[in-house]
Amino acid sequence: TVGFGDHSPRSKLGRAVAVPWMIFGVAITANWVNEVRNVFFENTSEHPSTKEDNHDDFQSMSEKGHGHGLTIAEYRCYMLLKLGLVSRTQFEHIDAHFKELESRNGGKGHVTLEDLKRARTSDLDADIA
């Protein structure tokens, strides 16, 4: 039967068409369920830990270039690059922006929230963007 059983193919031609049609419908539904599953559950073959690590990217994320590994901040940057969420060019723009902010505020090696607020009122953000 099809649906709730109120309709069923009675002729030989109807049954010959209905059987493949029902099998096709089940296969299409199974494929759709699989695609929905892929949306909600990440495939392990695409997990970032399985992607090949790039030595140059790894070294470029190390600020000191000491070769002993990455700090947590450097590791975050490396993973963003590895996952393709941020490009190398975007990192260069971010670094340039930081260096400009830092130099405008005495070269103290860090940027405060007040430094960022002052930069928003100046033309710095327009130059970097």
Side-chain angles (χ1 to χ4, degrees):
T1 64
V2 179
F4 296 104
D6 52 347
H7 300 287
S8 61
R10 293 193 185 2
S11 70
K12 288 186 182 201
L13 177 63
R15 289 180 182 165
V17 171
V19 170
W21 184 257
M22 286 184 246
I23 293 171
F24 178 72
V26 169
I28 292 295
T29 302
N31 187 47
W32 179 80
V33 169
N34 185 45
E35 291 300 320
V36 170
R37 181 192 59 83
N38 284 337
V39 168
F40 290 106
F41 300 103
E42 184 177 339
N43 189 350
T44 56
S45 65
E46 296 175 359
H47 193 272
S49 63
T50 62
K51 292 183 181 176
E52 183 150 344
D53 291 306
N54 184 310
H55 184 277
D56 293 335
D57 289 342
F58 190 87
Q59 289 301 95
S60 71
M61 289 299 119
S62 177
E63 182 68 29
K64 297 179 179 31
H66 47 68
H68 298 296
L70 303 176
T71 66
I72 190 167
E74 292 167 344
Y75 177 75
R76 287 176 180 158
C77 293
Y78 172 71
M79 289 306 295
L80 289 170
L81 182 64
K82 182 177 177 181
L83 292 170
L85 298 173
V86 179
S87 70
R88 188 177 294 275
T89 303
Q90 289 170 317
F91 274 121
E92 291 167 1
H93 286 296
I94 291 168
D95 290 348
H97 190 208
F98 176 84
K99 288 173 183 171
E100 179 67 26
L101 285 171
E102 180 193 33
S103 68
R104 284 185 177 193
N105 298 299
K108 51 194 172 190
H110 63 274
V111 175
T112 65
L113 182 60
E114 288 74 27
D115 296 337
L116 290 173
K117 287 178 182 178
R118 278 193 300 272
R120 290 205 189 280
T121 60
S122 71
D123 61 339
L124 176 63
D125 284 342
D127 292 345
I128 299 298

